[in-house]
Structures are given as C-alpha cells and as structure tokens.
Amino acid sequence: MSKIKRAIRRKRAIKEIDNIKPMSKTYMTIVTLLDNPLISAEELEAELKYDPLATAAILKIANSPYYCRASGQIKTLQMALTLIGNMQLKDISLMKMSESHLKKERGYSERENELHEESIASAVFAKLIAQKISEDQNLAFECALLHDIGKIVLGRILSEAESEIEKILASGKTFDELESEYFGITHQEVGEMLLKKWNFPEEFVKTAGLHHTPYLEPENRLLQIVSLADILVMLSGLSTATDGLYYDADDKITERLGLSEDDMMQIMEQGIADFLELKNVFGSKG
Amino acid sequence: MIQIVKISDLKVSDKSADAIITYALGSCLGLVIYDPVVRVGGMLHAMLPKPSGTGKNLFQYVDSGVPLLFKKCYTLGAKKERLRIVAAGCASLMNAATIFEIGKRNIAMLEALFKKNGVRLNASMLGGHDSRTLRLDLATGKTSVRVRGKEIEL
C-alpha cells in the first residue's frame, strides 16, 4: 500500500476527531463532583436541577439489578448516594455520558448499539477482575468503558476499506496491524487522542492507547486488567464486529495478574450474568 | 417469527415460519440440529465446555447444553437418525496462550460427546478468528453463517 495514501488517510482520521461532538457538560460536571467522597446530595441536585431527564436516567440505572437488588427502591439522589455510594454513581454518570457516542458507531459493526454493549461488557468484566485481585474496581470499570472509544472515529471511514480488509486479514495480520497499514493509525492511538482532547485523566488515556499491547507496561496493573477484560469480551461472543478476534492475546497477562484458568472461567460466567442485568436498562436489543 | 438465542441460551421450534438466530459466536459453540421430516430444529449457544464454578445455567456449557438441545427437539417429534447437525463458532484470538483457547476446548468437548453417542456433524465452520452469526430457517432447514456482511450456507 502506498505511503502517500496511508498518510492521507491518517490525516483524515485525525481530522475526523474534530467532527466528534463533545460529551455532555451536565454529566461531565456530575462525574467531577462525584469524584469527591464527601459530595452531598444537595450539591448534586443543584447541578441537575435544570436537567430532570439526567436525574431520571441516573436513577433508572441505579435501580437496575446490577446495582440494587430491590429494584425501584432508589427514588432520590440522596438515596442513591447512601445506598450505592458516590463511586458507583460516578460509573453510572460516565455510562450515560458516553452512551450516545458509543451507540453511534457504525463501521466496525453492522449491528446497532454493538460498540456500546461491548464497552459496557468490558467495564463489567474489568470490575470483576479488579475485585478478584483487590485493585480499584471503579477505575477499572471506567477505563474499560472508554478503552475502545477510538473506534467511533475510525468507524466513520472503515466502510471504505471493505475489499482491502478481507485481503489484509487473509494475509494473517491482526486488526491493529490492518489499521496501521491502511489508515496509518490505530483505534488505540485515536482513542488516546480523543480522551486527551476531552481532558480525561492519564489512566484513561493510557489504557485506551495501549490496550492491545499491555506488555509495553507490564507493571501497569490497570492496563493489564482492561486488556484482559477486552480479551474476555471477545472470547465471550458479544460482538459481530468486523475485527472479530483478529487480535493477539498477550500470553503473560494472566500470569502478571496472578489469575488461574478457573478464575478466568468464573469471571466470564459472572461477567455475562452481570452484563445482561445492566444491558437491559439501556434498552439494547438481542 | 425470529427467535434470538442469547449467550448461554437455547431455542427449539416446530413452526415453519420461524427462524432461529444467534449473534456473535466468539469462542462460543453454536450448534444447530434439524429434522427435515417433521421440520423440527433448534440451536444452542454455549460459552464454555463445562462448569468451573457454581454453573447454574445448563445452557452455558457444551457438556450439559448439547444433550438438552437434542432432548428438547425429541420432545417436538425429531428423531436422532434423521437429524442434520451443524456446528459453528469456537474461534480463537491470534497467537493466544493455551489459557485463552476456549474455542478449542469447546470443540474437544463436543467431539467427545458425539463420539460417545455415535453422532456425526454434517457440516461445520469452526475455529479461525471471525465472530460469526448463525441462522436456521425452520421451513427448509437452511443453516447459514454470516461474517462481515457475507452469508455462507452450511
């Protein structure tokens, strides 16, 4: 493939980043507020006063069986803060914040909402892995939720590559090698740029940028968690996307995290059950 | 009507107007059986070879899901000797360590089960790195796989 064509496509992909609309300001503010463990319900309510839909949306997810066994019990933000806590509410707000962006992806997948569902599944799996090895569960959930965000940009131009895709994959290349060869840029790199542009913390930027190459930072446990969650989601069969299972699976990743084969099977079993509970509140199909 | 088989799920039907579909078989096994005489068929989407933990959902595993698929179709009038059996899925990641080779373990479990019971696959599309969608049309027994927008009959 000619270097010039690749350079042009890379330039175009980077330009596409500017065409992605910013994430909702209301949710962005809420996510920042919820980072403070001493946040009061009054402060939250003051912020959400002019956005009753956002409050309703947050409470709806808080009442899903994933967060609350007695569904319908959480009627106010005060109750939500008391019963499920600020960090879980932050996870929920981040899910609402990224929902419309992730749902719009068309290119990697012909099915509606697929990237959104995969992202939620990755988040749920990452939380279970973090729980198992006593790492920060909420941070793992949040970074995994946004690790593939670069696909919303590359997806916009991926359909043009249809005939090339078959050819490149048949030659035994991984999908990130395909992205590099065709676009001169990968969805990891684009995700990194996008999250940097939106001022996300360093952990988010790094996990998005390195999730298919976790061996580059073997000491970074959060990166290993998100990368393993991504692998388990691909294996679980939640995606009909073009990139399928065309990725390398780092053979040392479970060793680095001290996980056995049985641990992984249990995480997959529990992860699928958790994902199905959470997915229903978003009204996804299938 | 289109019946959707979710992950760790199973559907059977004797209605000619039905189609049974499962989306996105990663390393999971998709198994279709169909009796053309009574037009009874079913599909299983099993995730793992056998339970490792508590394993409450029997459809989640090849070792418990496959016998249930056959039994449910027998209940609707299907006969073992007339069945057409098709398997798809069990893909794997590239350069994956043994620990991630769930697809291969699913195939091994299916083969062991079939050998023990004297059953043979009529067609299959197993392994590789594609995530596949599997479909069965009850009226004709046509079984097909969809990958990257292309449909292939099995």
Side-chain angles (χ1 to χ4, degrees):
Chain A
M1 197 156 309
S2 92
K3 276 188 184 169
I4 299 170
K5 270 191 186 164
R6 194 182 305 150
I8 294 171
R9 291 197 188 104
R10 181 183 164 89
K11 219 172 164 185
R12 214 181 123 205
I14 293 170
K15 211 173 157 217
E16 276 295 333
I17 293 178
D18 294 329
N19 294 333
I20 305 285
K21 68 170 176 88
M23 287 199 175
S24 144
K25 269 200 187 132
T26 307
Y27 286 118
M28 195 87 93
T29 315
I30 294 294
V31 165
T32 314
L33 282 175
L34 283 164
D35 231 351
N36 172 11
L38 300 177
I39 175 86
S40 71
E42 288 75 26
E43 284 169 85
L44 270 186
E45 277 157 7
E47 193 55 47
L48 285 166
K49 192 162 57 179
Y50 303 108
D51 199 343
L53 285 178
T55 309
I58 289 172
L59 292 180
K60 187 179 168 195
I61 302 174
N63 276 301
S64 77
Y66 182 70
Y67 288 108
C68 169
R69 287 292 139 200
S71 181
Q73 197 188 358
I74 300 172
K75 293 188 171 65
T76 60
L77 288 170
Q78 174 69 65
M79 288 173 88
L81 266 181
T82 316
L83 289 170
I84 67 169
N86 66 307
M87 291 316 282
Q88 308 260 52
L89 274 180
K90 188 185 163 204
D91 291 357
I92 293 173
S93 305
L94 204 61
M95 272 194 277
K96 282 312 293 180
M97 185 167 115
S98 56
E99 184 182 5
S100 67
H101 283 81
L102 291 168
K103 276 188 170 172
K104 270 197 197 112
E105 197 285 311
R106 293 281 186 287
Y108 282 80
S109 175
E110 35 174 27
R111 257 203 321 157
E112 219 178 308
N113 297 341
E114 197 156 83
L115 181 62
H116 182 241
E117 288 185 7
E118 274 180 63
S119 301
I120 289 181
S122 299
V124 165
F125 277 68
K127 192 173 182 175
L128 286 171
I129 300 167
Q131 187 182 26
K132 187 93 196 165
I133 59 169
S134 307
E135 290 290 333
D136 186 333
Q137 295 176 41
N138 298 99
L139 189 59
F141 183 97
E142 293 161 13
C143 288
L145 181 73
L146 298 177
H147 80 281
D148 260 344
I149 194 84
K151 285 185 176 178
I152 67 173
V153 178
L154 279 197
R156 291 178 166 212
I157 42 182
L158 192 71
S159 54
E160 296 166 18
E162 223 167 80
S163 58
E164 295 288 333
I165 288 176
E166 296 296 335
K167 231 192 305 176
I168 300 175
L169 290 183
S171 70
K173 294 217 160 64
T174 62
F175 212 85
D176 30 357
E177 285 167 342
L178 177 146
E179 289 171 346
S180 289
E181 191 170 319
Y182 188 82
F183 296 111
I185 196 164
T186 65
H187 71 271
Q188 299 184 89
E189 211 181 329
V190 178
E192 199 178 332
M193 288 170 158
L194 197 54
L195 292 174
K196 232 183 227 166
K197 188 184 164 192
W198 286 336
N199 296 318
F200 270 84
E202 182 60 21
E203 296 99 321
F204 287 75
V205 176
K206 199 151 248 182
T207 46
L210 295 174
H211 65 272
H212 288 301
T213 48
Y215 50 84
L216 292 177
E217 287 197 8
E219 304 297 320
N220 182 343
R221 288 174 63 88
L222 180 66
L223 173 63
Q224 311 302 314
I225 293 171
V226 172
S227 184
L228 179 59
D230 187 39
I231 288 173
L232 296 185
V233 169
M234 282 190 270
L235 289 174
S236 299
L238 288 163
S239 162
T240 58
T242 298
D243 52 352
L245 287 85
Y246 287 89
Y247 293 100
D248 283 341
D250 184 347
D251 56 357
K252 295 278 185 308
I253 197 165
T254 47
E255 220 172 279
R256 274 181 225 126
L257 293 174
L259 292 168
S260 69
E261 191 176 319
D262 267 358
D263 291 334
M264 298 232 307
M265 298 306 116
Q266 280 166 22
I267 288 167
M268 278 177 84
E269 289 177 24
Q270 187 60 47
I272 291 293
D274 287 356
F275 163 70
L276 293 173
E277 280 184 351
L278 191 51
K279 165 183 117 142
N280 287 338
V281 286
F282 287 96
S284 304
K285 291 181 207 164
Chain B
M1 202 179 87
I2 289 180
Q3 297 207 46
I4 293 171
V5 181
K6 295 181 183 168
I7 306 168
S8 309
D9 190 14
L10 181 162
K11 290 270 172 6
V12 292
S13 171
D14 58 358
K15 294 181 184 67
S16 283
D18 279 359
I20 304 178
I21 294 184
T22 197
Y23 294 105
L25 293 161
S27 62
C28 303
L29 167 75
L31 187 70
V32 163
I33 62 174
Y34 181 78
D35 180 337
V37 175
V38 287
R39 292 185 183 174
V40 162
M43 187 188 289
L44 170 75
H45 182 152
M47 187 165 77
L48 300 169
K50 58 182 178 23
S52 59
T54 46
K56 278 173 271 176
N57 179 1
L58 296 175
F59 303 154
Q60 187 150 303
Y61 312 101
V62 177
D63 78 337
S64 50
V66 173
L68 280 172
L69 173 66
F70 278 74
K71 277 180 200 147
K72 282 182 180 280
C73 284
Y74 294 158
T75 317
L76 293 178
K79 289 272 181 279
K80 186 177 170 184
E81 58 277 12
R82 297 195 300 240
L83 288 174
R84 182 167 192 270
I85 304 168
V86 179
C90 302
S92 58
L93 285 145
M94 300 174 93
N95 305 317
T98 325
I99 197 165
F100 296 123
E101 287 184 334
I102 297 167
K104 281 190 185 157
R105 292 201 284 279
N106 282 335
I107 296 176
M109 179 59 78
L110 181 75
E111 282 173 348
L113 262 178
F114 277 8
K115 198 175 167 195
K116 199 172 154 193
N117 292 285
V119 176
R120 272 170 194 270
L121 280 175
N122 295 91
S124 65
M125 192 183 266
L126 296 164
H129 313 295
D130 286 314
S131 190
R132 305 172 172 105
T133 290
L134 180 64
R135 178 186 172 114
L136 165 70
D137 285 298
L138 266 299
T140 56
K142 183 185 152 191
T143 307
S144 55
V145 158
R146 195 175 165 86
V147 183
R148 282 195 294 283
K150 284 192 200 77
E151 201 169 286
I152 305 141
E153 198 171 330
L154 293 177

